[in-house]
Amino acid sequence: MKYPLATAVMLACATPLGAHPHIFVDTGLEVIVDAEGRLTHLRITWAYDEFYSLLVTEDRGLDPDNDGVLTEAEVASLNGFDMQWVKGFNGDTVLLNGTEEIALSGPQEVTTTFSEGRIITTHLRAVEGDAPDAKGLVIKPYDPTYYTAYEVASKVGIEGNDNCRARVKMPDMSADLRALQADLSALDANTDPGDVGLPEIGEALANEVVITCDAS
């Protein structure tokens, strides 16, 4: 996740032991498939954990009365706060056809809400170029560095084609991967895992969303 610098600084200062992950995101996905079974768009929802949401609102001077409720204007001021992506950032979402990565557009149709102390944002991403056959495609939401942990927390929706469905495949947690995860969580908040020889494990811990389609 690429987040505003001021919020990142505040997060680094405020987070106690346990450097990775810093941010927890419940991820929702809606897969848009056309009548010919081609995947054309992904609609992605990010529901941020309460602590990170609090840091963002405090950093922006929102909710000054600390009642946990934002006005319409305050919510509107948050819209797009997490969509200022640097060049080359893939939006922490990878769409795969076998081993080939399918290019996606930048975020479109961005929305933001605030509920029960959590910031919830949505954005739409279009497939760039020819839309691929949806059958067998895999969607992986993850941050390679595991600074942000994404979890597919709800049923993946399919829009536009009743012959397709999605299933979520959980990561294979080997003993080695569990040990690396424990090593990361033991780091203090100011230590870069690479500086102590720890690899990026975000992809290995990613949920995989697998699309299947019946013959029409």
Side-chain angles (χ1 to χ4, degrees):
M1 171 65 66
K2 302 297 186 283
Y3 36 79
L5 177 60
T7 299
V9 171
M10 179 182 288
L11 184 62
C13 294
T15 305
L17 295 179
H20 284 67
H22 280 296
I23 306 168
F24 298 85
V25 180
D26 288 340
T27 305
L29 291 167
E30 184 178 31
V31 181
I32 300 174
V33 181
D34 68 15
E36 286 71 41
R38 297 172 299 199
L39 190 153
T40 62
H41 297 79
L42 297 178
R43 191 177 303 278
I44 301 164
T45 299
W46 289 337
Y48 294 95
D49 66 83
E50 292 181 8
F51 182 61
Y52 181 69
S53 298
L54 176 64
L55 292 178
V56 172
T57 55
E58 286 189 345
D59 186 35
R60 291 170 170 259
L62 305 178
D63 191 23
D65 57 3
N66 297 310
D67 66 352
V69 178
L70 300 186
T71 66
E72 289 186 12
E74 288 173 329
V75 173
S77 74
L78 284 171
N79 200 44
F81 87 96
D82 54 350
M83 299 294 149
Q84 307 305 310
W85 298 354
V86 299
K87 185 177 181 180
F89 178 53
N90 69 357
D92 284 348
T93 303
V94 175
L95 176 62
L96 295 169
N97 185 2
T99 59
E100 177 187 358
E101 184 171 343
I102 297 170
L104 296 170
S105 72
Q108 308 167 5
E109 299 182 13
V110 176
T111 70
T112 302
T113 58
F114 188 82
S115 177
E116 298 182 348
R118 303 179 72 182
I119 299 171
I120 303 168
T121 71
T122 70
H123 59 283
L124 184 73
R125 300 187 69 185
V127 168
E128 295 190 332
D130 295 334
D133 187 344
K135 184 177 181 180
L137 296 183
V138 173
I139 307 161
K140 298 175 74 172
Y142 70 94
D143 171 7
T145 69
Y146 200 49
Y147 194 96
T148 302
Y150 295 89
E151 180 179 357
V152 179
S154 58
K155 182 179 179 180
V156 176
I158 303 285
E159 178 184 320
N161 194 311
D162 293 337
N163 293 319
C164 296
R165 60 192 57 84
R167 65 181 177 88
V168 179
K169 180 181 177 183
M170 304 305 290
D172 181 11
M173 296 297 293
S174 66
D176 287 344
L177 187 56
R178 290 184 187 278
L180 282 172
Q181 191 178 29
D183 288 341
L184 280 172
S185 66
L187 295 178
D188 67 77
N190 297 315
T191 300
D192 187 311
D195 291 342
V196 294
L198 292 177
E200 293 185 344
I201 65 169
E203 183 174 9
L205 292 171
N207 297 156
E208 293 187 5
V209 176
V210 182
I211 310 299
T212 59
C213 298
D214 300 328
S216 58

